[in-house]
Amino acid sequence: QEKLNKKIQDIIKKEIAANNIKTTTVTNKDGTKTTTTTSVTKTPESIALSNSFASNMGKLPWPVAEGNIIESFGTHPHPVLKNVTTKNNGCDIKTNSGATVRAVFKGTVVSVLQNPGYHTAVIIRHGEYFSVYSNLSSVSVKANDNVDTKQSIGKAYTDAEEGTMVHLEIWRSEEHTSE
């Protein structure tokens, strides 16, 4: 999981650099951090896309037509080992064998990558936001493809023991978000 996370971060960093996006983090008096993202070359279209994505948070469609969340975003107690926690940078959705995985919002495919244990992953840029879909058995998009909301991007991977599961992450610039 750490290898996949590092690959995703590297790809997003390169995409941000390529689009002259600057991320600044400031530590507030109360110790919390505030991150702001600005782009030297923000276009009206990219601003509108970012704003539209942000305003649809909590209302985005699922990346699969049917399924249920088996692990949500955040830190959780390990299901078996006491005093051990696990961290999920997104959410895991159990779905049907052969399920189509689809984009949660319109955007541009940044990368399709392979990672042992998480199979194929797709990263889509939505202005300053990124959606990451992993545990795909096949992919029907490639880098620089424009995709629409609910457009098929591939098929979910099915494991003989675990069943069929898709992992979804949402990033705002270089930060995970639970929104």
Side-chain angles (χ1 to χ4, degrees), residues 87-147:
K87 182 179 179 186
N88 193 340
N89 293 329
C91 67
D92 298 325
I93 302 170
K94 190 166 184 91
T95 188
N96 304 321
S97 179
T100 297
V101 179
R102 42 196 204 170
V104 297
F105 202 75
K106 65 184 174 184
T108 303
V109 176
V110 172
S111 182
V112 175
L113 59 134
Q114 301 290 323
N115 196 61
Y118 283 88
H119 309 285
T120 305
V122 174
I123 302 173
I124 300 175
R125 179 174 34 91
H126 317 276
E128 68 179 320
Y129 291 89
F130 297 85
S131 56
V132 181
Y133 313 77
S134 57
N135 209 40
L136 307 182
S137 62
S138 64
V139 173
S140 56
V141 294
K142 62 186 180 317
N144 299 315
D145 282 355
N146 290 319
V147 295

Side-chain angles (χ1 to χ4, degrees), residues 16-132:
I16 289 169
N19 288 287
N20 296 317
I21 298 172
K22 180 181 176 187
T23 302
T24 307
T25 302
V26 177
T27 303
N28 301 317
K29 289 179 183 179
D30 63 0
T32 62
K33 293 185 178 185
T34 303
T35 302
T36 56
T37 304
T38 56
S39 174
V40 178
T41 59
K42 273 190 180 177
T43 64
E45 295 83 6
S46 70
I47 293 168
L49 184 59
S50 291
N51 292 340
S52 183
F53 188 89
S55 69
N56 278 286
M57 289 287 218
K59 299 178 274 185
L60 296 171
W62 278 42
V64 291
E66 295 180 22
N68 60 308
I69 295 175
I70 56 174
E71 187 173 330
S72 60
F73 177 86
T75 303
H76 308 282
H78 191 278
V80 177
L81 304 172
K82 292 184 185 262
N83 301 320
V84 174
T85 58
T86 60
K87 182 179 179 186
N88 193 340
N89 293 329
C91 67
D92 298 325
I93 302 170
K94 190 166 184 91
T95 188
N96 304 321
S97 179
T100 297
V101 179
R102 42 196 204 170
V104 297
F105 202 75
K106 65 184 174 184
T108 303
V109 176
V110 172
S111 182
V112 175
L113 59 134
Q114 301 290 323
N115 196 61
Y118 283 88
H119 309 285
T120 305
V122 174
I123 302 173
I124 300 175
R125 179 174 34 91
H126 317 276
E128 68 179 320
Y129 291 89
F130 297 85
S131 56
V132 181

Side-chain angles (χ1 to χ4, degrees), residues 143-158:
N144 299 315
D145 282 355
N146 290 319
V147 295
D148 288 321
T149 304
K150 292 188 176 181
Q151 178 179 328
S152 172
I153 60 170
K155 296 288 183 181
Y157 178 80
T158 300

